[in-house]
């Protein structure tokens, strides 16, 4: 029993250190606060894949009653620890992602036109900014055929992530 | 429709996570570059100053007199000019030709010539530098500009020898002219390969448009920095015969560059920053050209005082301070250069109160602002080394005022802003201060200014605001650390004094890189440097790892690994985040700590050198290079065996590496490849180049 607890404590301790590391990367003033706009990046870098809506929920938990534009580490740590321990917001597996693209490809052509994807990503769901759209297109569009071979794209992106 | 909505959210969510991870990689890549850069600078200043002192005291004038007293050459200015004019330019020379006074025809010729990779003939270089020096001599220390006569002034930051960036700025923003004034805020040279071309262009425009082209001095306009960061090498490679003379002349030109500019009495522009000591009135009155380098060297003087037998060397260095002085004393004593028990007290530091202080919170000595551990940076610590019977003449007193003036300049050229209030010595760089928002506010208020523009630090977006918008950092060398690492930027400032920022990035690719491609490229380079750092400290690291691995399993926890690495390297990086890129993990999740050294090996080994020594040599490769370059007066790339032995002795005692004279002799002889009594030190240093095995596999 005691051993189990030791292991659990060690695990929590490791999680705490991981969170601290990621937090520190954005703590520019070395005072244990980060700009609220960076929280999404921090959470995602820890392996979570929340939607914008889910991100909002997390922020509601950790922000001060009167938002200052900064998030304190003391409030971030417990919430984030829970998120990691409960394995919330896990990233979607590659095949589910592929299915999502296939939903857009109603004619089952095996590819999407850039305009199609742009319209969809910029208007539906939690729309992309222009910058996000450009970045996706620059990597996804096959320069010769000017289409998005989404199966290849998904595979390539999956390989990239360390 | 619901399906499509869900699909969209899934894709967006996944993509945003992907981008977040890119962002983290970009950030830590950045941290790696910066921490290695600053750690290197700090090391370098420390070691060089100790070394130079050592040489001065022991090896006597011969070895480095040319460094101590650079203007041995007593020709007057006209005679020098006549000498330059006698240098022949062959008909076959296809590069730009200059005649004085310069006109826009010449600047155009220079620009097009450099675009075609031509090199300016040394005669024109010398003439240009001569005219530039003549011109700069008449400039005040602080230039006052006004926007009322022109529409806008363009302010550019560090260029560091990146000609492509300068050309890109001219392309986007137009060439300098009376209608298009420019100010370049220092650090034109070092690191990049086209420093010479940059200063030729800048100086040429300076002469053609004297009222609308302005240059501030940066901390790299300093011949000691140039020895370390590549400009000296570039000059010697491009100008084999006249290089040394060009470098001598450049020392003067650099020292005559103005140190600050004020626009409309409202905007202060300096290269580094300020400190709570900064006094613009004092700065305006200094003889700036006396300060050739941030690294102060002792002066050699023939002194006819009756007390010749007991002279003292006074050596000021902001970097050495009390801790360093003690280190020197120990080094000297252990080498028998100073008696261990002294009748004449060997070293004492004289601490002086600055006598000008107007406000209470200006730095005093050793107390509130500088707790004992930080008297390292006490500006008034003076080293006195008495010699009883040296028969050498050294100079006597240096006025305290000069020391304070020197600090004024160093603060301006070396300081960095920070977010917390206060002003503390800049330990990273070994010179200047970190100044907080309160210091900025106070200075701006004192002189009725509204904005401080400075450079000196690389910023990912080319510029950055801090101190509530009162301080702007502007940096104009894109891809400074690596292709894709950062953008460059410039500011346009009109009569409204509202800064407008323009960004750009030089790219060797015709197609714009995706964020992912540029991050991956920069990250690869940063990680390579980091792995080399790890390798350079292999012995110490392995010892630290083994401390945590009592059962000798070859594995330790991530936690232990991270603490051990930080304790040896002192780089303050997110080691847990970096772990997966640096080491292999075992099946139990623990770190296989030897795996980070697998990929690297030193290319060619010298059998006289043990692995531990090899590692040390690798770590101090750059410092050795500087010292060799200092000794090598004629920049031939060769030093004598005797000089090599002396350098070696100094180094080994400074670094506490036990190595006896015989071993040094063996080493020297084995490196003297053509057995002519001289050593090609570049070849020697090449022996310590680390190779990444994966790279060579690919090749």
């Amino acid at each position: 029993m005691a051993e189990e607890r030791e292991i659990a404590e060690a695990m929590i301790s490791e999680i705490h250190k991981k969170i601290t590391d990621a937090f520190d990367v954005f703590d520019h003033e070395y005072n244990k606060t980060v700009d609220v706009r960076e929280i999404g990046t921090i959470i995602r870098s820890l392996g979570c894949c929340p939607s914008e809506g889910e991100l909002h929920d997390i922020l509601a938990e950790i922000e001060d009653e009167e938002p200052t534009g900064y998030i304190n580490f003391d409030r971030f740590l417990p919430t984030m620890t829970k998120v990691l321990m409960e394995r919330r917001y896990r990233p979607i597996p590659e095949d589910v992602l592929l299915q999502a693209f296939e939903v857009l490809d109603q004619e089952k052509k095996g590819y999407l036109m850039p305009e199609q994807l742009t319209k969809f990503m910029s208007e539906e769901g939690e729309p992309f900014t222009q910058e996000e759209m450009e970045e996706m297109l620059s990597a996804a569009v096959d320069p010769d055929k000017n289409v998005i071979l989404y199966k290849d794209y998904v595979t390539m992106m999956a390989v990239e992530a360390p | 429709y619901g399906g499509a909505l869900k699909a969209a959210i899934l894709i967006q969510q996944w993509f945003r996570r992907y981008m977040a991870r890119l962002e983290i990689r970009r950030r830590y890549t950045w941290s790696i570059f910066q921490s290695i850069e600053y750690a290197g600078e700090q090391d370098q200043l420390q070691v060089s100053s100790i070394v130079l002192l050592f040489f001065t005291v022991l090896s006597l004038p011969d070895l480095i007199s040319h460094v101590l007293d650079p203007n041995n050459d007593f020709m007057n200015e006209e005679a020098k000019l006549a000498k330059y004019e006698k240098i022949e330019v062959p008909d076959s020379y296809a590069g730009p030709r200059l005649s004085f006074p310069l006109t826009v025809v010449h600047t155009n010729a220079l620009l097009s010539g450099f675009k075609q990779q031509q090199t300016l003939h040394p005669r024109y270089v010398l003439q240009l530098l001569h005219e530039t020096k003549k011109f700069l001599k008449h400039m005040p220390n602080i230039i006052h500009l006004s926007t009322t006569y022109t529409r806008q002034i363009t302010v550019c930051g560090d260029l560091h020898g990146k000609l492509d960036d300068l050309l890109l700025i001219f392309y986007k923003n137009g060439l300098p002219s009376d209608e298009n004034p420019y100010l370049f805020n220092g650090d034109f040279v070092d690191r990049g390969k086209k420093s010479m071309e940059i200063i030729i262009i800048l100086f040429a425009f300076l002469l053609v448009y004297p009222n609308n082209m302005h240059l501030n001095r940066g901390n790299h306009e300093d011949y000691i920095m140039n020895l370390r960061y590549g400009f000296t090498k570039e000059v010697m490679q491009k100008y084999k015969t006249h290089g040394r003379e060009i470098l001598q002349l450049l020392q003067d030109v650099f020292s005559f560059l103005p140190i600050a500019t004020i626009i409309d009495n409202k905007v202060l522009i300096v290269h580094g920053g300020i400190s709570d000591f900064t006094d613009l009135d004092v700065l305006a009155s200094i003889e700036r050209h006396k300060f050739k380098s941030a690294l102060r060297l002792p002066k050699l003087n023939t002194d006819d005082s009756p007390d010749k037998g007991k002279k003292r060397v006074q050596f000021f260095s902001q970097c050495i301070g009390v801790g360093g002085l003690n280190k020197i004393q120990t080094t000297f004593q252990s080498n028998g250069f100073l008696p261990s028990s002294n009748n004449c007290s060997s070293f004492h530091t004289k601490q002086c109160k600055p006598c000008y202080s107007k406000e209470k919170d200006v730095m005093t000595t050793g107390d509130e602002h500088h707790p004992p551990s930080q008297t390292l940076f006490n500006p008034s610590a003076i080293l006195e080394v008495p010699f009883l019977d040296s028969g050498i003449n050294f100079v006597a007193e240096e006025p305290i005022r000069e020391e304070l003036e020197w600090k004024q300049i160093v603060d301006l050229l070396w300081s960095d802003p920070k977010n917390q209030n206060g002003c503390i010595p800049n330990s990273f760089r070994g010179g200047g201060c970190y100044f907080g928002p309160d210091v900025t506010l106070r200075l701006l208020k004192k002189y009725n200014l509204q904005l401080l523009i400075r450079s000196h630090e690389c910023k990912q977006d080319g510029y950055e605001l801090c101190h509530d918008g009162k301080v702007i950092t502007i940096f104009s060398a894109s891809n400074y650390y690596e292709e894709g690492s950062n953008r460059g930027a410039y500011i346009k400032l009109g009569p409204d004094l509202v800064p407008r920022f323009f960004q750009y990035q030089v790219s060797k690719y015709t197609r714009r890189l995706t964020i992912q491609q540029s991050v991956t490229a920069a990250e690869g380079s940063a990680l390579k440097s980091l792995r080399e750092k790890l390798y350079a400290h292999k012995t110490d690291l392995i010892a630290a790892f083994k401390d945590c691995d009592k059962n000798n399993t070859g594995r330790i926890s991530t936690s232990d690994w991270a603490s051990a690495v930080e304790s040896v390297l002192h780089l303050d990086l997110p080691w847990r985040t970096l772990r997966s890129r640096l080491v292999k993990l075992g099946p139990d999740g623990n770190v296989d700590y030897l795996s980070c050294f697998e990929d690297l090996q030193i290319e060619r080994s010298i059998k006289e050198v043990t692995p531990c020594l090899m590692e040390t040599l690798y770590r101090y490769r750059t410092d050795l290079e500087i010292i060799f370059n200092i000794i090598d007066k004629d920049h031939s790339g060769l030093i004598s065996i005797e000089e090599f032995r002396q350098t070696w002795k100094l180094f080994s005692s400074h670094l506490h590496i036990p190595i006896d004279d015989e071993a040094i002799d063996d080493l020297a002889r084995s490196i003297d490849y053509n057995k002519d009594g001289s050593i090609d030190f570049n070849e020697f240093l090449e022996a310590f180049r680390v190779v990444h095995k994966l790279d060579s596999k690919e090749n």
Side-chain angles (χ1 to χ4, degrees):
Chain A
M1 208 39 187
E3 205 184 282
E4 267 177 39
R5 213 176 65 150
E6 243 181 62
I7 295 176
E9 274 173 9
M11 191 172 76
I12 294 186
S13 169
E14 253 319 286
I15 289 182
H16 278 186
K17 293 206 182 110
K18 255 177 83 167
I19 298 174
T20 309
D21 236 17
F23 192 88
D24 283 348
V25 173
F26 293 88
D27 179 11
H28 304 298
E29 311 190 6
Y30 305 107
N31 58 0
K32 290 304 195 190
T33 67
V34 299
D35 190 318
V36 65
R37 291 166 292 184
E38 318 246 55
I39 286 290
T41 309
I42 300 177
I43 294 177
R44 287 171 174 130
S45 76
L46 286 163
C48 301
C49 204
S51 66
E52 294 290 300
E54 287 163 336
L55 203 51
H56 260 101
D57 295 338
I58 302 177
L59 273 172
E61 262 186 63
I62 60 181
E63 255 185 319
D64 293 324
E65 279 70 40
E66 297 228 10
T68 58
Y70 286 96
I71 299 294
N72 257 304
F73 183 66
D74 299 330
R75 298 192 65 144
F76 182 67
L77 183 63
T79 306
M80 197 61 220
T81 306
K82 249 177 60 176
V83 165
L84 286 180
M85 300 267 307
E86 292 170 9
R87 314 191 116 241
R88 274 195 253 160
Y89 316 123
R90 301 305 291 159
I92 16 176
E94 199 180 311
D95 53 340
V96 174
L97 184 60
L98 193 53
Q99 281 171 30
F101 274 99
E102 282 169 355
V103 164
L104 306 186
D105 180 18
Q106 287 173 343
E107 296 150 39
K108 306 289 168 237
K109 299 194 298 289
Y111 61 84
L112 291 168
M113 302 304 294
E115 305 77 50
Q116 229 181 326
L117 188 64
T118 304
K119 184 168 161 43
F120 204 73
M121 290 291 120
S122 314
E123 291 176 13
E124 302 292 343
E126 293 171 336
F128 271 171
T129 62
Q130 190 184 7
E131 219 181 34
E132 287 172 317
M133 197 65 245
E134 275 173 19
E135 181 58 25
M136 177 177 258
L137 288 175
S138 64
V141 176
D142 181 312
D144 300 320
K145 304 179 190 146
N146 200 36
V147 296
I148 295 160
L149 302 162
Y150 52 82
K151 190 157 192 305
D152 292 345
Y153 178 54
V154 168
T155 314
M156 176 186 80
M157 297 291 258
V159 166
E160 281 298 333
Chain B
Y1 184 73
L5 176 63
K6 188 157 182 254
I9 294 188
L10 275 179
I11 296 174
Q12 286 152 346
Q13 177 177 333
W14 158 84
F15 184 77
R16 285 177 173 131
R17 170 153 182 262
Y18 176 79
M19 292 303 286
R21 291 172 88 185
L22 272 185
E23 181 59 24
I24 279 270
R25 284 163 67 195
R26 192 167 87 127
R27 297 278 177 135
Y28 69 58
T29 297
W30 192 255
S31 302
I32 293 172
F33 280 134
Q34 292 218 302
S35 61
I36 291 184
E37 174 182 20
Y38 293 153
E41 277 186 9
Q42 177 188 24
D43 253 348
Q44 182 257 317
L45 279 177
Q46 282 261 9
V47 173
S48 302
S49 47
I50 293 177
V51 161
L52 283 171
L53 176 63
F54 190 96
F55 272 119
T56 313
V57 169
L58 302 168
S59 313
L60 313 186
D62 288 349
L63 210 50
I64 55 169
S65 61
H66 61 289
V67 173
L68 296 181
D69 220 350
N71 291 314
N72 278 332
D73 147 35
F74 294 110
M75 245 190 255
N76 68 19
E77 299 298 315
E78 278 116 47
K80 283 193 205 156
L81 190 58
K83 190 174 69 153
Y84 303 150
E85 280 164 6
K86 290 211 183 75
I87 300 173
E88 265 194 47
V89 182
D91 289 335
S92 56
Y93 168 72
R97 288 171 187 258
L98 303 181
S99 61
F100 296 84
L102 291 183
T103 68
V104 73
V105 167
H106 301 111
T107 48
N108 285 337
L110 287 169
L111 286 168
S112 70
F114 291 153
K115 280 179 194 159
Q116 294 166 54
Q117 319 297 330
Q118 287 166 354
T119 303
L120 185 64
H121 193 276
R123 169 196 162 139
Y124 299 130
V125 174
L126 288 164
Q127 285 179 305
L128 174 64
L129 293 178
H130 179 95
E131 293 297 318
T132 307
K133 175 177 164 183
K134 217 166 80 173
F135 172 78
L136 287 174
K137 258 182 170 169
H138 300 296
M139 293 278 113
N141 297 340
I142 303 180
I143 310 262
H144 288 263
L145 297 180
S146 154
T147 55
T148 47
Y149 297 112
T150 57
R151 274 164 291 144
Q152 292 186 324
I153 297 182
T154 304
V155 180
C156 300
D158 296 27
L159 285 169
H160 281 300
K162 315 281 231 88
L163 181 60
D164 285 342
D165 286 89
L166 182 60
L167 295 175
L168 186 49
I169 295 173
F170 286 164
Y171 177 73
K172 284 172 68 101
N173 194 51
L175 294 178
S177 70
D178 287 326
E179 291 76 41
N180 193 16
Y182 273 85
L183 166 63
F184 288 89
N185 199 16
D187 278 12
F188 320 123
V189 301
D190 278 334
R191 298 187 193 274
K193 306 249 180 293
K194 300 261 179 172
S195 301
M196 205 55 217
E197 283 70 29
I198 291 203
I199 54 172
I200 290 171
I201 292 174
L202 294 180
F203 292 161
F205 274 113
L206 188 67
L207 295 174
V208 177
Y209 300 108
N211 296 319
N212 289 296
M213 178 71 170
H214 310 283
L215 306 175
N216 276 348
R217 187 177 184 184
N219 66 312
H220 277 261
E221 275 68 59
D222 177 331
Y223 69 100
I224 301 260
M225 296 296 279
N226 300 152
L227 279 169
R228 155 77 156 97
Y229 290 101
F231 182 46
T232 308
K233 208 180 199 167
E234 180 190 326
V235 174
M236 291 315 300
Q237 280 171 352
K238 285 181 177 153
Y239 297 104
K240 296 194 175 16
T241 321
H242 292 96
R244 193 167 161 241
E245 194 160 7
I246 291 176
L247 287 169
Q248 291 271 29
L249 191 42
L250 270 167
Q251 265 191 52
D252 285 347
V253 175
F254 284 165
S255 71
F256 275 112
L257 286 167
I259 49 185
T261 302
I262 299 183
I263 298 182
D264 289 347
N265 287 319
K266 286 285 165 209
V267 181
L268 173 63
I269 307 179
V270 297
H271 174 75
I274 55 176
S275 73
D276 55 4
F277 183 79
T278 298
D279 185 325
L280 295 182
D281 302 313
V282 170
L283 277 164
S285 67
I286 293 176
E287 284 181 73
R288 66 182 187 275
H289 69 277
K290 289 192 310 194
F291 303 95
K292 301 261 186 289
S293 169
L295 190 64
R296 294 286 302 278
L297 299 172
K299 285 214 282 258
L300 237 44
N301 231 344
T302 47
D303 191 329
D304 289 333
S305 85
D307 192 12
K308 265 188 202 165
K310 219 185 210 179
K311 291 299 177 190
R312 282 169 302 178
V313 171
Q314 289 193 339
F315 181 69
F316 303 89
S317 169
Q318 195 176 48
C319 313
I320 286 196
V322 174
L325 297 184
N326 290 332
K327 205 170 186 179
I328 296 176
Q329 175 166 3
T330 326
T331 304
F332 285 10
Q333 281 171 344
S334 67
N335 276 285
F337 296 124
L338 274 182
S340 337
S341 65
N342 288 299
N343 315 346
C344 54
S345 59
S346 52
F347 284 25
H348 62 273
T349 57
K350 207 160 75 175
Q351 315 243 326
C352 319
K353 258 191 158 59
C355 42
Y356 60 92
S357 59
K358 294 174 190 160
E359 296 153 39
K360 275 203 188 132
D361 51 3
V362 169
M363 260 197 278
T364 55
T365 55
D367 16 77
E368 318 96 76
H369 285 270
H370 300 291
S373 61
Q374 284 183 341
T375 41
L376 201 67
F377 303 99
N378 185 311
S380 311
I382 302 169
L383 163 64
E384 298 187 1
V385 181
F387 279 81
L388 287 181
D389 59 355
S390 59
I392 307 157
N393 297 333
F394 286 103
V395 79
E397 315 293 319
E398 277 201 68
I400 303 304
R401 193 189 47 135
E402 194 170 298
E403 174 62 19
L404 300 176
E405 289 177 352
W406 172 78
K407 179 172 159 55
Q408 290 279 349
I409 295 190
V410 170
D411 282 349
L412 235 57
L413 266 40
W414 283 77
S415 300
D416 292 314
K418 62 178 172 69
N419 288 318
Q420 296 94 342
N421 280 338
C423 186
I424 56 174
N426 192 328
S427 46
F428 251 159
R429 297 193 192 257
C433 299
Y434 285 122
F435 62 99
D438 55 335
V439 179
T440 300
L441 269 177
R442 228 175 298 133
L443 186 109
L444 293 180
K445 189 159 171 239
K446 179 173 175 187
Y447 295 104
N448 204 7
L449 301 163
Q450 72 190 39
L451 178 62
L452 170 65
I453 298 179
R454 43 88 65 176
S455 302
H456 197 40
E457 284 181 293
C458 184
K459 298 293 177 192
Q460 285 201 308
D461 291 315
Y463 73 95
E464 193 174 272
L465 276 72
C466 64
H467 295 190
D468 202 26
K470 300 226 172 10
V471 175
I472 298 177
T473 301
I474 185 76
F475 194 84
S476 301
S478 65
N479 307 327
Y480 178 65
Y481 291 120
E482 177 57 61
E483 183 75 26
S485 67
N486 64 288
R487 292 198 264 189
Y490 55 87
I491 299 174
K492 292 194 79 95
L493 212 54
D496 58 0
L497 297 182
V498 171
R500 287 168 195 78
F501 300 96
F502 294 82
Q503 296 163 300
Y504 55 85
Q505 192 159 15
V506 168
S507 176
K508 61 182 187 221
Y509 305 106
T510 45
R511 195 170 70 93
R512 210 196 90 200
L513 285 179
T514 61
I515 295 183
Q516 183 239 309
Q517 284 168 325
S518 62
V519 167
T520 306
E523 184 194 30
S525 171
L527 288 173
K528 231 178 170 177
S529 303
L530 194 52
R531 287 188 198 109
E532 285 177 12
K533 265 274 173 197
L534 287 169
Y535 191 83
H537 292 84
K538 188 170 165 183
T539 310
D540 290 339
L541 281 170
I542 293 186
F545 294 150
K546 286 207 160 34
D547 255 358
C548 309
D549 182 23
K550 299 293 182 204
N551 300 331
N552 218 5
T553 60
R555 301 230 177 81
I556 55 179
S557 71
T558 299
S559 227
D560 286 340
W561 181 82
S563 316
V565 174
E566 180 56 29
S567 72
V568 172
L569 293 187
H570 301 294
L571 285 176
D572 193 23
L573 290 172
W575 295 109
R576 274 175 193 76
T577 316
L578 292 169
R579 184 207 56 188
S580 62
R581 314 294 256 153
L582 296 172
V583 280
K584 297 205 181 101
L585 286 185
D588 54 358
N590 280 335
V591 169
D592 172 358
Y593 55 78
L594 289 175
S595 60
C596 63
F597 305 116
E598 272 169 12
D599 182 42
L600 295 156
Q601 66 184 22
I602 290 189
E603 191 155 51
R604 190 173 66 203
S605 50
I606 302 177
K607 69 173 168 33
E608 288 77 8
V609 178
T610 63
C612 176
L613 184 54
M614 196 71 155
E615 214 176 285
T616 312
L617 280 174
Y618 175 68
R619 202 184 323 164
Y620 290 99
R621 208 159 89 265
T622 320
D623 298 309
L624 273 173
E625 190 177 352
I626 305 173
I627 296 167
F628 286 145
N629 273 309
I630 293 177
I631 299 172
D632 177 23
K633 323 187 232 299
D634 53 8
H635 298 284
S636 59
L638 302 169
I639 56 172
S640 73
I641 297 219
E642 182 51 35
E643 288 165 340
F644 177 80
R645 287 182 68 250
Q646 283 189 334
T647 308
W648 200 246
K649 240 187 139 172
L650 159 70
F651 238 67
S652 53
S653 65
H654 172 59
L655 300 173
H656 306 294
I657 307 165
I659 181 167
D660 55 44
D661 282 354
E662 210 185 293
I664 296 181
D665 282 340
D666 284 344
L667 181 60
R669 250 173 279 129
S670 72
I671 301 168
D672 177 10
Y673 299 114
N674 37 12
K675 306 292 166 228
D676 62 354
S678 69
I679 291 171
D680 179 334
F681 59 80
N682 286 313
E683 265 200 64
F684 173 64
L685 292 171
E686 267 302 294
F688 303 100
R689 207 165 61 85
V690 152
V691 165
H692 297 258
K693 291 192 210 154
L694 279 177
D695 277 359
S696 33
K697 272 195 211 139
E698 273 164 24
N699 296 341

